[in-house]
Amino acid sequence: MNILVEATRGDHRADGRFVLLVVDDDESVGAALVAQLADHRVRGHHFPHAAEALLATGALQPDAAVVAAGLGTMSSADLVRLLSGRAGIPTVVGVGDDDGSVAVAALKAGATAGVRRPYRAEEVLPILRAIRPDTSGALDPPIELGGLRVDPATFEVSLDGRSVALPLKEFKLLYFFMSHAERTVTREQLLTAVWGGVPDDSSNTLTVHIKRLRRRLALDGDQPPVIVTVRGLGYRFVPAAAPAAPRSS
C-alpha cells in the first residue's frame, strides 16, 4: 500500500503540550505509554495499525513518534523511513527482548534512538527532550508552591494570582529552585541547569540574576518566597508559608 505522508512540524499547541505518535500493535503497551506521559504534558495518540498512524500524521502534526520494533501491520523500518525520512518526524524505536535485528534495521532506516519496550516514562522523556529541544519545556509540568506558580510550557509565572514577568534566565532559575524546593543546590548545579555550563564570569552572572529574581518575587505579600544563601554551598528555595486557616468561633 502506497501512503503519502504530509510533511509535518510540531505546531506548539495553545495548551503547550508535546504531541507524540505511538505506533504499537499491543494495545496495552501503547496505551500504557500514553497514560504515563499524560502527566508530563505529552498528548499521546496510540495507533495499533501503522496505516492509521500514517493517515493521522497530517492532522496531528506530531513533534515525535515512538514505533515498536516488532510491528505486525508494517515493517518498522519502512514505517520509520516514512515518518522520519519523508515526513521529517523524529522517530524512536521501541525495542523488546527479541527485537535486536529488527531494531537495528529501524535505526538504519532513520530512527533517532532506541528505547526499551515495554516503555517507562523516565526512559522515554529524556529522549524526547533531546530530539525536540525547542519543545522540551512542554514536557515539564507546572509547579505551584505557596501561591507561586510557574508553567514551563508558557513561561508564565504568577504569585498569589498576580502575573510576574521574568526574563528567560530568571524563569529557568526559578523553575529549578522550585523543582528542588527546601533543598540546598550548588552554584554549579544552577549554572549547568540555566546556562548549560560555567561561564567565565559565572560568579557575578549568577549573583546578579539571583538578586534580580529575589527583587521581582518580593512583592507586597506578607510572606514572599525566599531564596536563602547557604554560605559555602549554594542556595535554598523556601516557598511562602500557606496562610493559616481561620479559627472557628
Side-chain angles (χ1 to χ4, degrees), residues 6 15 40 43 85 94 108 118 120 151 170 172 180 188:
E6 294 183 33
D15 65 0
H40 298 272
R43 188 188 299 282
K108 288 182 176 179
R120 300 175 63 183
D151 188 338
E170 290 175 38
K172 289 183 175 181
H180 299 77
E188 289 73 20

Side-chain angles (χ1 to χ4, degrees), residues 8-60:
T8 64
R9 183 174 181 273
D11 65 355
H12 304 281
R13 309 296 187 277
D15 65 0
R17 289 184 178 270
F18 186 105
V19 180
L20 180 69
L21 196 73
V22 179
V23 189
D24 196 308
D25 45 19
D26 187 319
E27 292 274 1
S28 61
V29 171
L33 177 59
V34 169
Q36 288 181 61
L37 295 179
D39 291 336
H40 298 272
R41 302 178 68 89
V42 175
R43 188 188 299 282
H45 298 269
H46 170 234
F47 294 91
H49 298 286
E52 293 177 354
L54 287 169
L55 290 171
T57 54
L60 295 177

